Amino acid sequence: METQPYVIVLFGATGDLARRKLLPGLLHLWQAGLLPQARIVGTSLDEMDLDKFRTLARDAVVEFSKPAPTEEAWAEFAELLRWAPGEGGADALATAVHRAEAELGGQPQLLHYLSVPPKAALAVVHEIDEAGLASRSRIIMEKPFGTDLASARRLNAALHEVFREDQIFRIDHFLGKEAAQNILAFRFANGLFEPIWNRNHIDHVQIDVPETLGLGGRIGFYEETGAYKDMVVTHLFQVLGFVGMEPPTALTPYAITEEKNKVFRSMLPIEPADVVRGQYAGYRDEPAVSDDSETETFIALRCWIDNWRWAGVPFYLRTGKKLAEGARIISIAFREPPKSMFPEGSGVGAQGPDHLTFDLADRARLSLSFYGKKPGHGMRMDKYSMQFSFHEDPGAVSALEAYERLIYDAMRGDHTLFTTADGIEQLWSLSQQLLDHPPPVRVYPAGSWGPNAIHQLIAPHAWRLPFERPWRDKTV
């Protein structure tokens, strides 16, 4: 499919996200032939000019692009880059964009990527409007989309004064991952699994995203948000929507979005008693953190989708900073047989139920664990697993990474993997009880799996992480 000419305006072009993901991602899109006619206009409030911006971009792609571009490729890509000085306001922005449009000719589509702090987002929206650049535009918004229902409604109302809903793309990079989209393929393309994807066969579901890193320069941001607002509403609930949705009528953006929103409308309000909030030891010693801070750096919760498919099936979500290991998994625990014919001590059930596990990490993998007979005399059971690594597929070499895919989808106007205003407001609505009456934070040691109360939360089940056996990596 031929891609129309595009002017991509990257707000916050000197920031960390732009350096690590966006500039290398745009380079990869260009190398893949998906930006055949484009100009990339960077802008920020930092003191910068075009030469300095190109130097910054070159350093970014050399450090973060895999593989790094050749000298020839970089020289060609650098010619796409332009700069609009942020201190020049709307006039400077309009001038830079119009020059880029003139270079491309015709009427290129505009894409504005707001890689800016949440507090600055509306100011950028108004600047785009003042510059006369809202028409023919699409806009990508970074999380969080508000911090409660009232702020989300105000944000959406302000956005809708400038942009139509179909112009707005609220990004969640989790859903841009190959493995996340494979949930749809796995469920709806295989007659083996869709018939058992319900409360009759599934005991519970875990969505687990622990992180080993601390907060670094995000301390100030976290003091205003915390793990629930930062990660659960904008990431983990979105993944839950993919896991829990009904079959869409078609593989189209509207049909998939509607089914995902139905999941959100079916969720019961989050009860504070079903939530464990944690804070790693030493957080209050961090710069700009008060001695009595109640900000959570860890959150685990139990939630419910109250519809015909999922009634009575708990969904357990967990994420946090400075935990034992970094991972991004979805684990489906199947119900155990109603009666066992195997003798006591055979090992059946000793390692928990059978699981289907999606690994959403960059090296995406899939595992199905089950009991089987151990070789040798007698009926002794052990837990085995079948594992598949998506990165071993020859096509994985050319696959787009999460941010790249989502930028390209926004360019094409495909909302499948993005959040709607209705969806995000519904999630904030069901979160209100927790936001109004949060349970106290519990201190947990850095390098652990969180506060001990998480085991009572999930009992009589157990957390899937750490795994009962490691992933097998292909050896050459």
Side-chain angles (χ1 to χ4, degrees):
M1 182 182 71
E2 185 177 350
T3 304
Q4 70 182 103
Y6 247 96
V7 175
I8 299 171
V9 184
L10 183 53
F11 293 88
T14 58
D16 184 61
L17 178 62
R19 291 182 58 256
R20 289 185 300 106
K21 295 294 184 181
L22 305 184
L23 289 167
L26 290 168
L27 169 66
H28 190 203
L29 288 173
W30 174 76
Q31 290 175 314
L34 301 178
L35 286 177
Q37 302 180 69
R39 294 293 184 272
I40 299 164
V41 179
T43 185
S44 80
L45 294 176
D46 289 338
E47 185 176 337
M48 186 76 54
D49 58 24
L50 179 56
D51 288 339
K52 291 180 180 178
F53 178 50
R54 285 176 172 168
T55 299
L56 178 147
R58 181 190 175 102
D59 292 344
V61 300
V62 167
E63 182 177 358
F64 296 107
S65 291
K66 306 298 180 194
T70 64
E71 289 293 329
E72 182 181 0
W74 164 252
E76 291 185 41
F77 180 72
E79 289 301 313
L80 307 183
L81 301 180
R82 300 292 182 268
W83 182 254
E87 66 273 14
D91 290 341
L93 178 64
T95 298
V97 170
H98 291 326
R99 284 177 180 168
E101 290 177 315
E103 292 172 8
L104 292 171
Q107 286 193 325
Q109 181 81 43
L110 299 180
L111 177 67
H112 306 285
Y113 196 119
L114 273 60
S115 178
V116 298
K119 285 184 176 180
L122 282 183
V124 173
V125 169
H126 293 315
E127 182 178 336
I128 293 170
D129 188 29
E130 186 181 345
L133 300 176
S135 63
R136 290 185 290 109
S137 284
R138 294 175 177 137
I139 181 171
I140 297 179
M141 302 284 296
E142 275 288 338
K143 68 175 180 74
F145 316 113
T147 54
D148 56 19
L149 179 58
S151 62
R153 283 175 171 168
R154 287 195 301 269
L155 176 60
N156 285 326
L159 286 172
H160 291 155
E161 290 178 358
V162 179
F163 296 101
R164 302 184 309 275
E165 178 64 19
D166 66 332
Q167 294 177 277
I168 303 169
F169 293 79
R170 299 169 186 82
I171 196 168
D172 171 20
H173 70 272
F174 274 42
L175 296 188
K177 294 179 176 294
E178 284 281 339
Q181 296 169 73
N182 235 307
I183 299 169
L184 296 181
F186 195 84
R187 284 189 58 187
F188 302 129
N190 297 294
L192 177 62
F193 289 100
E194 177 55 25
I196 62 172
W197 207 267
N198 56 58
R199 59 188 173 85
N200 296 323
H201 301 280
I202 291 177
D203 184 79
H204 66 278
V205 177
Q206 295 181 33
I207 301 174
D208 209 350
V209 186
E211 297 180 275
T212 57
L213 298 176
L215 290 165
R218 302 180 72 217
I219 291 285
F221 167 74
Y222 241 65
E223 275 294 282
E224 297 178 358
T225 55
Y228 184 82
K229 295 177 181 179
D230 179 47
M231 291 291 295
V232 176
V233 174
T234 50
H235 286 327
L236 275 63
F237 279 161
Q238 304 302 322
V239 174
L240 180 150
F242 264 32
V243 174
M245 65 188 287
E246 295 296 321
T249 55
L251 199 64
T252 60
Y254 175 80
I256 292 174
T257 297
E258 178 58 22
E259 294 304 332
K260 194 169 66 167
N261 284 346
K262 284 181 183 177
V263 172
F264 300 153
R265 291 195 291 268
S266 299
M267 290 176 65
L268 296 177
I270 306 301
E271 297 284 349
D274 288 340
V275 176
V276 175
R277 297 169 70 234
Q279 187 184 92
Y280 64 75
Y283 174 79
R284 293 178 181 177
D285 298 327
E286 300 275 14
V289 176
S290 65
D291 293 339
D292 58 353
S293 172
E294 288 291 304
T295 298
E296 81 274 1
T297 61
F298 170 97
I299 191 103
L301 64 137
R302 175 173 53 216
C303 59
W304 309 85
I305 302 174
D306 192 28
N307 62 15
W308 192 274
R309 182 182 292 265
W310 295 111
V313 177
F315 284 71
Y316 297 98
L317 281 55
R318 176 174 63 171
T319 187
K321 306 295 183 183
K322 291 197 175 183
L323 296 179
E325 67 181 68
R328 296 170 179 175
I329 72 157
I330 304 166
S331 191
I332 314 295
F334 292 102
R335 293 192 182 278
E336 298 188 48
K339 183 174 176 59
S340 176
M341 69 181 77
F342 297 96
E344 186 177 350
S346 65
V348 170
Q351 297 184 57
D354 300 338
H355 283 87
L356 174 66
T357 302
F358 296 86
D359 184 349
L360 304 186
D362 291 335
R363 292 168 64 86
R365 294 171 289 196
L366 177 71
S367 172
L368 179 62
S369 70
F370 51 89
Y371 287 96
K373 181 184 178 301
K374 294 178 66 173
H377 176 71
M379 186 60 75
R380 292 283 301 165
M381 301 291 176
D382 199 0
K383 202 72 174 290
Y384 298 95
S385 64
M386 293 187 295
Q387 298 182 6
F388 171 72
S389 297
F390 294 104
H391 64 270
E392 295 176 7
D393 188 292
V397 175
S398 59
L400 299 179
E401 292 189 354
Y403 278 100
E404 299 164 4
R405 179 183 310 281
L406 293 170
I407 290 172
Y408 184 58
D409 283 354
M411 290 170 58
R412 297 186 300 124
D414 185 340
H415 279 84
T416 303
L417 303 177
F418 295 87
T419 305
T420 65
D422 289 344
I424 200 68
E425 288 180 14
Q426 178 62 30
L427 291 175
W428 283 123
S429 178
L430 63 88
S431 303
Q432 200 61 52
Q433 290 186 41
L434 174 62
L435 300 180
D436 291 341
H437 306 287
V441 294
R442 303 166 185 258
V443 175
Y444 63 93
S448 70
W449 286 101
N452 288 332
I454 63 172
H455 302 298
Q456 287 76 51
L457 176 71
I458 203 171
H461 315 299
W463 290 99
R464 182 74 166 135
L465 288 175
F467 286 125
E468 81 277 353
R469 61 183 65 247
W471 290 100
R472 288 195 298 270
D473 285 320
K474 183 178 180 181
T475 57
V476 180

